[in-house]
Amino acid sequence: MYEIVTKTLPFAVLSMEFVSAGEDWQVLFQGGDRPHIGCTVLAQPRPSLTGSGETSCTASVINLSGHKDEAVCREIAERLCTRLGAVVVCSGGFHLDGISREQILQVQEAAREMADQWLRERER
């Protein structure tokens, strides 16, 4: 199964591509002037350490030097992993020359919204 979610911000277009691998998922997040792979996060579900019976996850991260894509890729991988109870790998990168702190926050919020939109569509 292959699905794509896109979102247009005033300064960039973002995309998330979702590919199933059996029960697990691969997500490619990209956007901006120079989409790239700056980070890969693998999230594996596990029982929460609180003993509450909820699902949590353990994440492993590979970053390229000088890239700051972990914040988005980690959040996507962990968010999907705990909601789906599946292994999730999120790779990707966003680059925009001269990006402001406010724009970075907008990209992070948009990524959350895109992941949540995809999850809602899967639950139907």
Side-chain angles (χ1 to χ4, degrees):
M1 175 183 284
Y2 173 85
E3 300 170 44
I4 187 166
V5 175
T6 60
K7 186 167 185 85
T8 302
L9 299 176
F11 53 89
V13 176
L14 307 175
S15 70
M16 270 189 214
E17 299 173 46
F18 300 85
V19 179
S20 65
E23 298 293 317
D24 302 324
W25 289 92
Q26 170 74 52
V27 181
L28 175 62
F29 172 76
Q30 56 185 333
D33 295 335
R34 291 191 303 271
H36 60 281
I37 296 179
C39 179
T40 296
V41 177
L42 181 140
Q44 178 182 13
R46 61 166 172 75
S48 173
L49 299 176
T50 64
S52 66
E54 294 180 14
T55 299
S56 188
C57 67
T58 297
S60 299
V61 179
I62 301 171
N63 279 316
L64 291 180
S65 296
H67 290 260
K68 307 259 187 222
D69 304 295
E70 179 181 348
V72 171
C73 290
R74 178 186 284 270
E75 183 165 359
I76 293 166
E78 290 180 348
R79 189 178 208 90
L80 298 180
C81 175
T82 57
R83 291 273 296 275
L84 299 171
V87 173
V88 176
V89 173
C90 181
S91 299
F94 177 91
H95 181 85
L96 183 66
D97 285 335
I99 193 168
S100 70
R101 180 69 183 142
E102 180 180 315
Q103 289 171 319
I104 291 170
L105 294 173
Q106 289 175 13
V107 169
Q108 290 173 323
E109 178 62 26
R112 277 190 293 277
E113 291 171 1
M114 293 165 72
D116 287 344
Q117 173 187 340
W118 180 79
L119 284 164
R120 281 190 307 273
E121 290 172 5
R122 288 197 85 254
E123 292 170 349
R124 291 182 191 173

